[in-house]
Amino acid sequence: MRSPESKPYLVTRRLIPENQESPIPFISAAVTPEQYFYRRNHFPYPAISEQSFKLSVGGEILRPLVFSYQDLLRLPSKEIMVVLECSGNNRRHFAPKVFGEQWEGGAMSQGVWKGVAVRELLKWTGLQATAKEILFEGSDYGSRTDLEGEFVFARSLPLEKALHPDTLIAYALNGNPIPYKQGYPLRLIVPQWYAMASVKWLRSITVIRTPFNGPFQANDYMYYPEKDSDAGKMPVTTIHVDSIIQQPIDWSVLEVGAHQIYGLAWTGTGFITKVEISTDGGNHWEPAAIQKDPGNPYRWITWTYTWAATQKGEYTIMSRAADSLGFAQPAEARWNRKGYGYNAYSTVRVKVE
Amino acid sequence: MRSPESKPYLVTRRLIPENQESPIPFISAAVTPEQYFYRRNHFPYPAISEQSFKLSVGGEILRPLVFSYQDLLRLPSKEIMVVLECSGNNRRHFAPKVFGEQWEGGAMSQGVWKGVAVRELLKWTGLQATAKEILFEGSDYGSRTDLEGEFVFARSLPLEKALHPDTLIAYALNGNPIPYKQGYPLRLIVPQWYAMASVKWLRSITVIRTPFNGPFQANDYMYYPEKDSDAGKMPVTTIHVDSIIQQPIDWSVLEVGAHQIYGLAWTGTGFITKVEISTDGGNHWEPAAIQKDPGNPYRWITWTYTWAATQKGEYTIMSRAADSLGFAQPAEARWNRKGYGYNAYSTVRVKVE
């Protein structure tokens, strides 16, 4: 009788609605399998009806149209490998601590999305000169703790980002229809932005002439630098350059000898140019070997570093990445009340014995 | 189309060997289902052979015997509901932090074990007057970071504990054969002791005349009060009285209104007599309603407390349990270098808005 298989699972942070993170330390595939793809929900899963297979486009356009799922399949499409990262990823590591889902490093997954560029769709409807933002509404809705009433999950993009040729109405993930929990049948995919922008179960697109201020745009997904006031708030948009150490595991015990330190790095600005490793708590840094994939700036890259742990003792290992636009991970993340955009050095402590 | 089901999963702390904890905040059944039963391994899973279905008994006895699985099924048996808790449970919460698996509250599960008391078995072999301890060896083996060579997972019990009528050679869990990952086909079950004593894949029992000092007895599973010396070390044995808040989740945001605070309480000494809740960081305490099950001191009990959260603000909620032998949870756990026996008040912070 063969010894049974070991496999990781999603880590549950909340069950209703379902919020589960990827077991990032144990994932090696570039494309995250469906069962390990992180799930971030504001509301219970929506029921899928015939209506879900239609996408209405309205507002400041010339010809309001409803596209069926089949219509979309017939339009010119593209496929892109994209890292989707929740803006609350690593919230658990903020100091002082903040309220909200206590994500560690796994509110992040990667896949190959296929679909039609929003700009391709808008060729059919036209666009009025008054257009300022494009509003994307999902099918998921429910109540909030801070406001009375029911709300649909809806987010807008500035025109420029919405019309970027890689902002897609996706209908497939990794060669298959999008999994139900990832937004089936249609999901907006906004590369380089935190994933609150990539609206799941997409049901309508509305071109608007004034800034959208729904609660998922104007209350949540804002950086609030102050604990007790809203002064200085700024919208959460682009993914911050970041890296994560997958192995070794934090607070683990290792034998004397050579160990591979490895992990992932990604950014919303340009592409990763450098990952450095420190094994002495940040005093000295050495370059890691990074995966070469300059063709795709939207995906994470893997990196690895061989560490000769010849001396017994306790070590603080860190990684930090930098990108082609000159952004680099900070030693400390910029604290904000709702805990978004954490990207301080990834740190693990190990004991060699 | 119905909305998809949400379910929790085991939380992976390490994959080789497999170490995964129960999603305790999301579990309501008294008997932990197999897929949520925590897994704590020192070594890769052992292969199961014909030999695994035999249990040899030797050492300071009168008649060495080998019992087959079928022999055991024919002997007088008993069934007991037992909480098994890893002695490293909640290691993550020690301050200063310690190395080892960073278990939160889920290195703990509960089930109904059926089997033959060790003392029943020894009626067949007899016992010599020189007998001092009984050694139990599992089938799992491998290397350690701190010592050269290979080691079998083996632990001894003092004669008195081994001969307690509820110390069982179990062959069934919850009415079925023991799951492979829980020690199939035979597992020692030692109620009231931390679960390192409940040796999985049990293959031999040896009555010995001198204290056993294998590494899982004399190196691990010792409380070391000092960081840099072994002074004052004491073996890990009985489960400390403890409780855990399952809901609300730590750092979650709640609406103004009534909320159920609920969780579990258990002890290795006597039975639980009291669980108290504080919603103001430990200044005032109120009794929770506790499940009445005086018939079984080995299982956890559930408790619940209705909290009228009428004021917006940030709250520190705590639970603490006490037992019939006068043990009570401390405000701070007793720090020890390997991080065993954590049982400080369970604490969650919530924001009401």
Side-chain angles (χ1 to χ4, degrees):
Chain A
M1 194 163 170
R2 289 184 47 207
S3 167
E5 184 189 17
S6 292
K7 55 179 188 179
Y9 301 96
L10 289 166
V11 179
T12 304
R13 297 285 167 217
R14 192 150 52 127
L15 209 52
I16 302 169
E18 195 173 71
N19 282 293
Q20 297 172 320
E21 64 182 277
S22 258
I24 281 283
F26 311 105
I27 279 187
S28 55
V31 157
T32 312
E34 178 181 348
Q35 74 269 30
Y36 300 144
F37 211 103
Y38 86 102
R39 298 168 182 167
R40 199 284 180 252
N41 291 288
H42 299 83
F43 300 123
Y45 286 108
I48 296 295
S49 65
E50 212 176 306
Q51 189 54 44
S52 313
F53 291 87
K54 297 195 190 308
L55 178 64
S56 66
V57 183
E60 309 288 308
I61 54 173
L62 305 175
R63 290 168 297 278
L65 278 176
V66 175
F67 293 86
S68 72
Y69 190 76
Q70 284 71 18
D71 292 337
L72 290 169
L73 296 182
R74 276 184 234 110
L75 290 175
S77 67
K78 55 173 33 180
E79 264 194 330
I80 45 177
M81 187 183 286
V82 176
V83 54
L84 286 182
E85 183 184 16
C86 173
S87 55
N89 197 22
N90 285 304
R91 179 179 287 127
R92 184 161 185 161
H93 299 133
F94 273 106
K97 284 184 67 61
V98 295
F99 290 94
E101 314 298 306
Q102 296 296 295
W103 303 112
E104 301 202 28
M108 171 174 86
S109 294
Q110 187 159 269
V112 177
W113 297 87
K114 182 178 182 180
V116 180
V118 172
R119 67 184 294 152
E120 193 66 48
L121 223 61
L122 293 179
K123 284 183 190 169
W124 296 79
T125 64
L127 201 58
Q128 296 198 11
T130 48
K132 187 151 182 93
E133 292 190 345
I134 303 188
L135 176 63
F136 299 89
E137 283 180 279
S139 305
D140 48 331
Y141 66 93
S143 57
R144 296 172 55 98
T145 52
D146 59 345
L147 297 170
E148 292 291 319
E150 294 218 313
F151 299 87
V152 167
F153 187 79
R155 294 265 320 168
S156 73
L157 290 176
L159 207 58
E160 167 185 291
K161 186 66 180 172
L163 297 182
H164 186 287
D166 291 336
T167 298
L168 302 184
I169 313 295
Y171 51 71
L173 174 59
N174 303 331
N176 293 307
I178 298 172
Y180 200 161
K181 294 187 174 184
Q182 295 304 332
Y184 178 80
L186 298 174
R187 179 172 188 173
L188 181 68
I189 293 295
V190 186
Q192 296 190 319
W193 278 38
Y194 282 113
M196 74 282 153
S198 293
V199 176
K200 298 191 283 290
W201 309 290
L202 185 68
R203 55 182 290 177
S204 76
I205 297 179
T206 311
V207 179
I208 55 180
R209 62 164 82 195
T210 53
F212 176 64
N213 66 356
F216 295 101
Q217 188 102 11
N219 297 31
D220 300 335
Y221 303 115
M222 280 282 175
Y223 295 111
Y224 296 100
E226 307 283 333
K227 180 160 168 53
D228 297 311
S229 98
D230 291 356
K233 71 177 179 179
M234 290 280 291
V236 174
T237 59
T238 307
I239 292 174
H240 294 157
V241 61
D242 207 355
S243 66
I244 191 165
I245 298 169
Q246 294 178 284
Q247 295 283 343
I249 300 273
D250 202 11
W251 296 99
S252 61
V253 179
L254 307 176
E255 295 175 322
V256 169
H259 296 280
Q260 287 306 119
I261 301 170
Y262 64 86
L264 308 172
W266 65 99
T267 183
T269 48
F271 54 89
I272 295 292
T273 51
K274 188 166 68 173
V275 176
E276 292 175 304
I277 304 302
S278 172
T279 57
D280 63 359
N283 288 318
H284 299 91
W285 295 87
E286 294 284 337
I290 66 174
Q291 183 182 16
K292 299 285 180 228
D293 192 347
N296 179 350
Y298 304 151
R299 60 164 296 181
W300 66 45
I301 57 150
T302 59
W303 54 262
T304 185
Y305 176 85
T306 303
W307 178 37
T310 52
Q311 298 291 316
K312 294 182 184 187
E314 297 179 11
Y315 295 88
T316 298
I317 302 173
M318 294 172 158
S319 71
R320 67 180 184 194
D323 72 24
S324 57
L325 294 194
F327 292 97
Q329 285 182 256
E332 271 193 50
R334 192 174 296 183
W335 188 91
N336 61 96
R337 188 171 81 225
K338 292 207 171 195
Y340 299 122
Y342 186 97
N343 74 329
Y345 302 167
S346 179
T347 302
V348 304
R349 278 123 307 191
V350 301
K351 183 178 177 184
V352 174
E353 67 176 22
Chain B
M1 197 165 169
R2 290 186 45 208
S3 165
E5 185 190 17
S6 292
K7 55 180 188 180
Y9 300 96
L10 290 166
V11 179
T12 304
R13 297 285 168 216
R14 193 151 51 129
L15 210 52
I16 302 168
E18 195 173 70
N19 281 294
Q20 297 171 321
E21 63 181 276
S22 259
I24 281 284
F26 310 104
I27 279 187
S28 55
V31 157
T32 312
E34 178 181 349
Q35 75 268 32
Y36 301 143
F37 211 102
Y38 86 101
R39 298 167 182 168
R40 199 284 180 252
N41 290 288
H42 299 84
F43 300 123
Y45 286 109
I48 297 296
S49 66
E50 214 177 304
Q51 188 55 42
S52 313
F53 292 86
K54 297 192 189 312
L55 178 65
S56 66
V57 183
E60 308 289 308
I61 54 174
L62 305 175
R63 291 168 297 278
L65 279 176
V66 175
F67 294 86
S68 72
Y69 189 76
Q70 284 71 20
D71 292 337
L72 289 169
L73 296 181
R74 276 184 233 109
L75 290 175
S77 67
K78 55 170 37 178
E79 263 193 330
I80 45 176
M81 188 183 287
V82 176
V83 55
L84 288 181
E85 183 184 17
C86 174
S87 56
N89 197 22
N90 286 304
R91 178 179 287 126
R92 184 161 184 161
H93 299 134
F94 273 107
K97 286 185 67 61
V98 296
F99 290 94
E101 315 298 307
Q102 296 295 296
W103 302 112
E104 301 203 28
M108 170 174 88
S109 295
Q110 187 158 270
V112 177
W113 296 87
K114 182 179 183 181
V116 180
V118 172
R119 67 184 293 152
E120 193 66 46
L121 222 62
L122 294 178
K123 285 183 187 166
W124 296 80
T125 64
L127 202 58
Q128 296 198 13
T130 47
K132 189 151 184 92
E133 293 189 346
I134 303 189
L135 176 63
F136 299 89
E137 283 180 279
S139 305
D140 47 331
Y141 66 93
S143 57
R144 295 172 54 97
T145 52
D146 59 345
L147 297 170
E148 293 290 319
E150 294 218 313
F151 299 87
V152 167
F153 188 79
R155 295 264 321 168
S156 74
L157 289 175
L159 207 57
E160 168 186 291
K161 185 67 181 172
L163 297 182
H164 187 285
D166 291 336
T167 298
L168 303 184
I169 313 296
Y171 51 72
L173 173 59
N174 304 331
N176 293 307
I178 298 172
Y180 200 160
K181 294 187 175 184
Q182 295 304 332
Y184 178 81
L186 298 174
R187 179 172 187 172
L188 182 67
I189 293 295
V190 186
Q192 297 191 318
W193 277 38
Y194 283 112
M196 72 282 153
S198 293
V199 176
K200 297 190 285 289
W201 309 290
L202 185 67
R203 55 182 292 175
S204 77
I205 295 179
T206 311
V207 179
I208 55 180
R209 62 164 80 194
T210 54
F212 177 63
N213 66 356
F216 295 100
Q217 189 102 12
N219 298 30
D220 300 334
Y221 302 114
M222 281 282 176
Y223 295 111
Y224 295 101
E226 307 283 333
K227 179 159 170 53
D228 297 310
S229 99
D230 291 356
K233 71 176 179 180
M234 291 279 291
V236 174
T237 59
T238 307
I239 292 174
H240 294 157
V241 61
D242 207 354
S243 66
I244 190 166
I245 298 170
Q246 294 177 284
Q247 295 283 344
I249 300 274
D250 203 11
W251 296 99
S252 60
V253 178
L254 307 175
E255 295 175 322
V256 169
H259 295 280
Q260 286 306 117
I261 300 171
Y262 65 86
L264 309 171
W266 65 101
T267 183
T269 49
F271 53 88
I272 294 293
T273 52
K274 190 167 67 175
V275 176
E276 292 175 304
I277 303 303
S278 172
T279 56
D280 63 358
N283 288 318
H284 298 91
W285 295 86
E286 294 285 338
I290 67 175
Q291 182 182 18
K292 299 284 180 228
D293 192 349
N296 179 351
Y298 303 151
R299 59 163 296 180
W300 67 46
I301 57 150
T302 58
W303 53 263
T304 184
Y305 176 84
T306 304
W307 178 37
T310 53
Q311 298 290 318
K312 292 183 184 186
E314 296 180 13
Y315 295 88
T316 298
I317 302 173
M318 294 172 156
S319 72
R320 66 181 185 194
D323 72 24
S324 57
L325 293 193
F327 292 97
Q329 284 182 257
E332 271 193 51
R334 192 175 294 184
W335 188 91
N336 61 95
R337 188 171 79 225
K338 292 208 171 195
Y340 299 123
Y342 185 98
N343 75 327
Y345 302 167
S346 180
T347 302
V348 305
R349 277 122 308 188
V350 301
K351 182 178 177 184
V352 173
E353 67 176 21

